[in-house]
């Protein structure tokens, strides 16, 4: 895409009143305003040339902007009128108006089962709970599919030709030669589409027929639609909610439970659930509809919800019913007596905000997302949950976020195919016009002068010529390519993309868009389960001025292999440390936390030991985890965040085990110096939960000794201001940040210097397209010489540490790695020094891509707590501005903390993710990460996965902090001026929602986003993910987008993209089922795109070009022959050979070319990802290349026809006296032309064009040619009755007539040598004088390949006295100047 300017808005950010054109003009202005003034001492002619060039480009930009604006306005008008006239007018599907004050749902048990509620917006019942993802119904399938099939230009063309053939006297080739194959092809395609849609219907049916427990009135269970005959609440049981549980788990201890209650639970199908139903869910049961919680059996009425299929997050969410419902809904009797009303907002797609209220006995409380659960969630770790349904079916959040109007995908290459077909239609009409004109001339010169020649009407002549040459647009292109793609999909089953751990190979759900895998420009990736395993591991901690590596959860192969040596080292170190504990670090400096614990055990009263114990206690107490004992007696933790589980497990490893969490307390099992365990109880007075605004969590604890302690954990920038020594901490953090900034600047300068060594390339995802016979590659090849690589350039290849491998500490002017695990009691006693070292360690952890937290604590008096507690209670029960008041109350107690320490957690990436992203970026693919996680988490993962470098400039768009228009304006300036070598844009779901409300801001955002190197979209809902993909597609219409994810929340994004890939991961198979392709690991994307995608695009491109070329050669000879038969439409070729030309004689060449072609080896394509630009730049097939093939084919046809015509001119005397002559009738002449054509086509396609030559294509070439001569033998043996009324004398023609003539064979061989020689010469000239990058790498492969070039490079370094570069086998042997950066 060609960008026009960098895009800013006028002063004041007044964007709402700007039109689209005005916005684009403002966006385009900054490039010229901010460009430095050029020197005036330039030659006049250069100034004039530059001025003319700028004027030309300015005019072209204005024309393109106007064309795009006109196209957008036409599209919008069509959509508007389609919605008004068709959807609302014809189909009567009008949008519902908003309700007055929300949806009113009475809280009356079972009433809606007899009297369904009415939706005030429509005056009808609320929508059913049935869902539908299939695209067709029984009635709509045939008309919709027929419309889609014949909206393809080629299919419509063949339909017209087939109809013309039905007219008597118009078709020289029969009536059903076109309409028959077309009908079979369309029927086959429709059957495939129908099967795919039937599979979607089956998945919908599985959901709609699932069962859930619904509270129904007495005696009506058997009358409920879809209800099970057996009720779950039988006579004689207690009045609790639970059935099927033992007395320990059932909620049957509430007062008022009666035996034999009248109402009961009935199992009802999901599709029959109604708004207002009271539903009971058990552990691990899916939520059938959006519900407001009424009761949960967890501690403090807490239910734990798995929202993995909804927002992609694997951490459990804690939900609680409203405080008004406490003790009101825990038995059947109480549910029956419940009376109140629930009011909630109209259905919408916002997953992260909910507004409602509940009224019980005149008292009203607000409802938020904390009190509701949405369809797509699953109940976890909660025995029983009861809720009232508020939204059903297509009005549920997950369905409103689904992409319900899915368009059938078609490959990008179809654009060129359609253009070629359209051009050939005009060429066919032009040839027909020429032949018709030739007939008029021939009629005037010959026909009128010879009375025995019967005149013909114009219509048979014109339409006969069209039908005669109609196969210039071959139907075989669309038939054979479906077969080829079927085999291509089968060949994708690569062992290198097989995951042995899960026994999961690649799965291909559609073969329609295989070639798009080789043209991807943007990748939109989910985070959880796609890039990461979502397996948090506690890695490092800093306490008392010392940094420690937590290696208890790591497998150390070296130490495991040498246990005796490890024990001896530890014993000797500890023996020396005991003699001088104040300087223990001199001898005891093992960095593992095991060593720290051993030191604490031996020296419990030192300053470091006291700080370390208190820090571990803070980790063990400040969390919301719930311990749960398994059947084996092990303790597992459930929490709302996997980070908290990692922290608590680390505390457990270090002797602080959370064994129980009863109401308002935490029980810890501690291990003393003697190894004995004891249990202590800590009373939880208050928990102030984490929020995206606060960025911290606090807990108020009453210690066993009665003191009250406030413990707070959060981001370092948040904790700094709340420390007792906040001024010192801020100063220290600023200094650490300055040093880090210097390091990033040096790395950025190194990256800019590396890029400057390569030819400039556009910032956009796919730059200008080179010419067909460009001269660029010669200069590129010069840059590939190993001697040109300096040591500095080699070092620049390493772009810093990667978390996926072994992280290495980056350069700092004052290394902190040397003090890791070194205890110095003097430093531990110096608070200022501890703060300084702590922030240095935290900065190091963050640079390595770890997720960091700081802990602070302070002790408060009883009076101070009571005063604060009153304020906090008032805030939590407030209806107006409740969240704001809670945050203000929390601020008052979260002050004057002592620094406890810091932690670092690693979110394990999937294997090979950083390397894969690095190679995809080298392939000029922009990678965007779309996740439902919070911003800080997303940025940390982006750094770990190499989406953001250590030197990257991160731009954050936040509508709550600043004006987004002004922020985008500043980012535009930075990006356009090239201030950063790598820029990353971070935007959240709320900010994107603000942008969506303003068309000018939306256009500005996407204009900015396509220029940024990477985009991180956090807190994104499924519908926003799909909107983002669609926005990029609209902004850059020539791009190919790929979306990859593993959860149900990724489905809409996958369906909105050109290519959708699902990962068969922890979140199930929802995405893998609906995606176009599914793989087991993100790293397989590297091979899928760079190797198979490249091959598939190349194969399909060559297949299309060769198919059109062979038809052009075949039928242009036919057209030239018309001059010799009076333009009568007589075919040069016998009708059977005409039919079998595409089906038999030339089908194998294009089939094996489209199936087996490989221009380069997988090793080369993986080592040099820049070669992927072949598809991005449309170098495989474009109009210039098509013109070159047509030109070459025209030369071939002229040469073939001249050779054939001259041979028959020489043999006009076919009498027995002329020994050199043979049968000079039509059949030998057409057979000679076909012989040259068939041999030439097979040789050119399978030998000259096909690079990957094996015995299979060579055998196919020999077989195709043999089939032609075998055909001549067969038809020559047929009885004469099959040709007695035909102008072709085929009976014994080949065996007894021209097949015995030496001159016929000699001319055939000469003709073949001429046309093949001309094509071979053109190929040789192109490879010698105009080589492409692929040609150069093919030569390198012939000389040993990438490995040999790497060895040669190392030898050159050794000769120059330089140290050889140590690189992994798969690392690129060259820098990024190979291709793509031109």
């Amino acid at each position: 895409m060609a960008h026009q300017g960098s895009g800013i808005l006028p002063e004041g950010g007044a964007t709402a009143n700007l039109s689209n054109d005005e916005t684009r003009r403002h966006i385009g202005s900054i490039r010229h305003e901010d460009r430095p003034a050029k020197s005036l001492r330039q030659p006049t002619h250069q100034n004039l040339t530059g001025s003319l060039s700028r004027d030309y480009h300015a005019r072209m930009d204005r024309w393109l902007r106007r064309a795009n604006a006109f196209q957008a306005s036409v599209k919008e008008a069509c959509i508007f009128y389609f919605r008004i006239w068709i959807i609302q007018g014809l189909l009567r599907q009008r949008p519902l108006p908003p309700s007055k004050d929300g949806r009113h749902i009475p809280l009356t048990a079972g009433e809606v089962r007899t009297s369904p509620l009415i939706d005030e917006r429509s005056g009808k019942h609320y929508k059913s709970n049935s869902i539908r993802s299939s695209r067709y119904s029984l009635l709509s399938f045939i008309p919709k599919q027929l419309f889609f099939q014949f909206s393809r230009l080629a299919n419509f063309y063949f339909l017209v030709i087939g109809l013309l053939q039905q007219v008597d006297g118009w078709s020289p080739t029969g009536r059903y030669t076109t309409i028959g194959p077309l009908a079979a092809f369309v029927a086959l395609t429709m059957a495939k589409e129908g099967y795919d849609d039937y599979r979607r219907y089956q998945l919908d049916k599985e959901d709609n027929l699932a069962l859930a427990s619904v509270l129904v009135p007495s005696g009506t269970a058997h009358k409920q639609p879809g209800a099970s005959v057996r009720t779950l609440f039988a006579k004689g049981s207690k009045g609790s909610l639970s059935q099927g549980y033992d007395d320990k788990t059932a909620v049957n201890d509430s007062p008022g439970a009666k035996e034999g209650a009248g109402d009961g639970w009935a199992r009802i199908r999901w599709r029959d659930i109604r708004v207002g139903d009271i539903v009971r869910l058990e552990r691990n049961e899916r939520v059938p509809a959006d519900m407001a919680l009424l009761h949960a059996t967890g501690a403090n009425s807490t239910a734990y919800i798995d929202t993995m299929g909804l927002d992609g997050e694997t951490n459990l969410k804690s939900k609680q019913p409203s405080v008004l419902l406490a003790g009101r809904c825990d038995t059947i009797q109480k549910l029956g007596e419940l009376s109140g009303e629930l009011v909630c907002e109209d259905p919408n797609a916002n997953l992260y905000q909910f507004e409602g209220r509940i009224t019980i006995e005149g008292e009203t409380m607000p409802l938020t997302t904390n009190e509701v659960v949405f369809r797509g969630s699953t109940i976890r770790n909660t025995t029983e949950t009861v809720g009232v349904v508020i939204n059903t079916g297509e009005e549920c959040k997950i369905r409103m976020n689904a992409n319900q109007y899915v368009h059938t995908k078609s490959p990008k290459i179809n654009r060129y195919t359609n253009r070629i077909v359209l051009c050939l239609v005009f060429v066919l009409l032009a040839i027909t016009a020429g032949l018709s004109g030739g007939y008029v001339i021939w009629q005037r010169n010959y026909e009128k002068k010879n009375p025995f020649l019967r005149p013909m009407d114009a219509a048979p002549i014109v339409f006969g010529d069209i039908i005669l040459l109609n196969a210039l647009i071959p139907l075989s292109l669309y038939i054979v390519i479906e077969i080829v793609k079927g085999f291509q999909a089968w060949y994708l089953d690569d062992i290198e993309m097989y995951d042995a751990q899960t026994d999961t190979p690649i799965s291909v759900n559609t073969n329609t868009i295989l070639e798009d895998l080789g043209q991807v420009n943007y990748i939109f990736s989910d985070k959880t389960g796609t890039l990461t395993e979502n397996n948090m591991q506690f890695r490092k901690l800093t306490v008392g001025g010392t940094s420690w590596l937590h290696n208890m959860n790591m497998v150390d192969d070296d130490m495991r292999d040498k246990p005796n040596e490890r024990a001896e080292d530890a014993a000797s170190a500890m023996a020396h440390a005991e003699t001088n504990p104040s300087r223990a670090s001199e001898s005891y400096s093992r960095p593992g936390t095991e060593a720290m614990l051993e030191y604490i055990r031996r020296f419990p009263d030192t300053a470091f030991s006291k700080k370390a114990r208190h820090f571990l206690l803070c980790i063990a107490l400040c969390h919301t985890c719930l311990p749960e004992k398994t059947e084996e007696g092990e303790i597992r933790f459930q929490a709302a965040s996997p980070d908290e589980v990692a922290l608590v497990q680390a505390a457990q490893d270090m002797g602080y085990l959370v064994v129980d969490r009863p109401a308002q307390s935490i029980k810890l099992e501690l291990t003393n110096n003697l190894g004995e365990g004891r249990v202590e109880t800590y009373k939880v007075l208050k928990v102030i939960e984490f929020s995206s605004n606060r960025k911290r969590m606090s807990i108020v604890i009453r210690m066993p000794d009665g003191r009250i302690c406030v413990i707070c954990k959060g981001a370092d920038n948040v904790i700094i201001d709340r420390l007792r020594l906040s001024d010192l901490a801020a100063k220290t953090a600023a200094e650490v940040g300055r040093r880090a900034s210097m390091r990033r600047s040096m790395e950025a300068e190194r990256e800019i210097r590396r890029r400057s060594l390569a030819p400039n390339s556009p910032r956009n995802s796919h730059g200008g397209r080179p010419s067909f016979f460009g001269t660029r590659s010669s200069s590129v090849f010069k840059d590939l010489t190993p001697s040109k690589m300096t040591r500095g350039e080699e070092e620049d290849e390493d772009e810093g540490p990667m978390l996926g491998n072994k992280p290495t500490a980056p350069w700092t002017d004052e290394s902190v790695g040397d003090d890791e695990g070194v205890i110095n009691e003097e430093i531990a006693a110096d608070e200022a020094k501890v703060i300084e070292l702590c922030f240095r360690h935290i900065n190091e952890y963050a640079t390595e891509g770890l997720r960091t937290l700081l802990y602070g604590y302070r002790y408060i008096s009883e009076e101070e707590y009571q005063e604060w507690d009153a304020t906090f209670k008032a805030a939590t029960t407030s209806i107006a501005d409740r969240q704001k008041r809670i945050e203000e109350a929390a601020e008052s107690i979260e002050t004057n903390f002592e620094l406890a320490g810091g932690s670092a957690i690693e979110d394990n990436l999937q294997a090979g993710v950083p390397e894969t992203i690095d190679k995809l970026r080298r392939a000029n693919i922009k990678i965007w990460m779309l996740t439902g996680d919070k911003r800080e988490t997303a940025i940390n993962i982006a750094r770990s996965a190499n989406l953001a470098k250590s030197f990257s400039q991160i731009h954050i768009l936040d509508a709550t902090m600043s004006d987004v228009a002004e922020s985008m304006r500043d980012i535009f300036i930075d990006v356009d001026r090239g201030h950063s070598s790598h820029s990353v844009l971070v935007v959240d779901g709320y900010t994107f929602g603000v942008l969506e409300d303003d068309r000018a801001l939306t256009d500005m955002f996407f204009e900015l986003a396509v220029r940024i190197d990477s985009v991180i979209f956090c807190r994104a809902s499924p519908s926003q993910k799909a909107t983002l993909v669609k926005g990029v597609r609209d902004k850059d219409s020539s791009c190919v987008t790929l979306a990859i994810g593993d959860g149900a929340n990724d489905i809409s994004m996958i369906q909105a993209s050109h290519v959708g890939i699902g990962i068969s991961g922890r979140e199930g198979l929802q995405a893998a089922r609906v995606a176009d392709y599914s793989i087991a690991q993100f790293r397989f994307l590297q091979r899928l795109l760079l190797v198979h995608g490249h091959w598939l695009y190349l194969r399909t491109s060559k297949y299309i070009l060769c198919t059109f070329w062979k038809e052009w050669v075949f039928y242009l000879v036919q057209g030239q022959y018309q001059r010799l038969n009076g333009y009568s439409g007589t075919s040069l070729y016998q009708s059977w050979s005409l039919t079998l030309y595409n089906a038999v004689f030339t089908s194998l060449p294009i089939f094996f070319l489209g199936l087996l072609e490989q221009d380069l080896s997988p090793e080369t394509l993986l080592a040099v990802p820049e070669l992927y630009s072949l598809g991005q730049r449309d170098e495989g097939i474009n109009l210039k290349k098509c013109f070159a093939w047509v030109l070459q084919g025209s030369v071939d046809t002229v040469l073939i026809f001249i050779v054939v015509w001259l041979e028959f001119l020489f043999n006009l005397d076919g009498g027995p006296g002329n020994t050199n002559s043979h049968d000079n009738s039509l059949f030998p002449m057409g057979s000679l032309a076909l012989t040259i054509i068939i041999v030439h086509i097979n040789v050119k396609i399978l030998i000259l064009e096909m690079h990957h030559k094996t015995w299979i294509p060579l055998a196919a070439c020999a077989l195709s040619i043999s089939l032609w001569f075998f055909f001549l033998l067969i038809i020559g043996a047929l009885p004469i009755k099959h040709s007695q009324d035909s102008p072709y004398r085929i009976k014994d023609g080949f065996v007894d007539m021209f097949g015995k003539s030496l001159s016929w064979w000699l001319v055939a061989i000469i003709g073949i040598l001429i046309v093949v020689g001309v094509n071979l010469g053109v190929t040789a000239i192109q490879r010698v004088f105009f080589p492409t990058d692929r040609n150069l790498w093919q030569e390198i492969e012939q000389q040993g390949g990438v490995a040999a070039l790497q060895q040669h490079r190392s030898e050159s370094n050794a000769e120059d006295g330089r140290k050889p570069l140590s690189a992994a086998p798969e690392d690129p042997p060259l820098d990024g100047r190979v291709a793509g950066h031109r």
Side-chain angles (χ1 to χ4, degrees), residues 1069-1128:
L1069 300 174
Q1070 300 99 322
R1073 286 172 177 172
V1074 302
D1076 304 307
Y1077 313 96
S1078 68
I1079 54 180
Q1081 295 284 326
F1082 182 85
R1083 58 188 168 91
F1084 295 152
L1085 196 62
Q1086 178 183 163
R1087 190 174 185 89
L1088 180 63
L1089 297 186
L1090 301 185
V1091 178
H1092 291 283
H1094 176 90
W1095 287 344
L1096 289 168
Y1097 171 74
L1098 178 73
R1099 292 165 181 167
T1100 305
S1101 300
K1102 284 192 171 184
Y1103 170 87
I1104 293 172
L1105 288 174
C1106 289
T1107 300
F1108 283 119
W1109 168 79
K1110 72 183 185 69
E1111 302 300 327
W1112 183 263
V1113 172
F1114 182 69
Y1115 283 100
L1116 225 60
V1117 173
Q1118 179 92 290
Q1120 294 178 77
Y1121 169 71
Q1122 296 306 304
R1123 184 176 61 89
L1124 305 180
N1125 62 30
Y1127 304 96
S1128 62

Side-chain angles (χ1 to χ4, degrees), residues 898-918:
E898 300 292 337
L899 179 63
S903 64
I905 297 174
E906 175 186 359
D907 185 0
N908 289 342
L909 296 173
Q910 289 187 10
V913 167
E915 296 81 359
T916 300
I917 289 179
D918 187 61

Side-chain angles (χ1 to χ4, degrees), residues 136-394:
Y136 310 103
S137 65
L138 290 176
L139 296 177
S140 66
F141 174 74
I142 293 180
K144 281 186 176 181
Q145 267 296 303
L146 288 177
F147 175 79
F148 173 73
Q149 293 297 331
F150 291 107
S151 63
R152 295 179 176 179
L153 184 61
N155 287 356
F156 180 75
Y157 166 80
F158 290 119
L159 177 64
V160 173
I161 295 297
L163 294 176
L164 292 177
Q165 286 182 318
Q166 306 310 307
V167 180
D168 292 335
W170 283 14
S171 175
T173 58
R175 288 193 172 190
Y176 305 105
T177 56
T178 301
I179 202 72
L182 176 64
F185 169 69
V186 169
L188 182 64
T189 307
M190 290 175 61
K192 178 179 175 297
E193 285 290 334
Y195 174 72
D196 291 340
D197 201 61
Y198 179 73
R199 290 194 303 169
R200 287 188 286 268
Y201 164 76
Q202 289 293 333
L203 295 176
D204 293 342
K205 185 178 178 181
E206 182 181 335
D207 266 359
N208 293 331
L209 297 183
L211 297 176
S213 299
V214 177
L215 186 63
V216 299
S218 174
T220 64
H222 64 283
K223 300 178 182 178
Q224 299 300 324
S228 171
V229 175
R230 178 181 60 87
T231 62
L232 298 184
F233 191 85
K235 184 176 180 180
S237 63
K238 297 214 173 169
S240 65
L241 297 178
S242 300
Q243 290 297 318
Y245 295 98
D246 57 25
D247 292 338
K248 296 180 181 180
T249 60
V251 187
N252 56 9
D253 54 353
S254 302
K258 292 185 178 180
E259 191 173 281
D263 295 345
W265 299 105
R267 297 292 282 178
I268 292 178
R269 293 190 180 97
W270 280 19
R271 68 184 182 189
D272 298 314
I273 292 176
R274 300 169 180 172
V275 172
D277 270 334
I278 295 178
V279 178
R280 188 189 71 182
L281 300 174
E282 300 172 359
R283 183 175 180 147
N284 296 329
E285 194 169 356
R286 293 181 299 154
V287 180
D290 293 351
M291 303 192 313
L293 287 181
L294 299 179
H295 173 73
T297 58
N300 301 321
S301 296
T302 301
Y304 289 91
I305 310 299
D306 181 355
T307 61
M308 188 185 301
L310 188 66
D311 56 15
E313 298 185 43
T314 55
N315 52 291
L316 300 182
K317 309 292 193 306
S318 60
K319 306 281 187 178
Q320 289 179 305
S322 173
V323 294
L324 284 180
L325 297 169
R328 298 177 184 266
C329 303
D330 51 351
T331 66
I332 290 286
Q333 180 184 3
K334 291 181 180 180
L335 280 175
E337 296 172 353
L338 182 65
S339 177
E341 185 182 55
L342 186 148
V343 181
C344 62
E345 62 186 0
D346 289 333
N348 60 73
N350 193 337
L351 290 173
Y352 304 104
Q353 184 177 355
F354 182 85
E355 294 181 358
R357 66 181 185 269
I358 184 171
T359 303
I360 303 290
E361 297 180 356
E363 188 177 357
T364 301
M365 288 290 289
L367 285 178
T368 65
T369 53
N370 189 53
E371 292 86 28
V372 295
V373 292
F374 301 132
R375 180 172 181 156
S377 308
T378 305
I379 306 298
R380 304 288 189 197
N381 303 330
T382 308
T383 302
E384 184 178 80
T385 302
V386 177
V388 57
V389 175
I390 55 178
N391 294 321
T392 51
E394 299 297 339

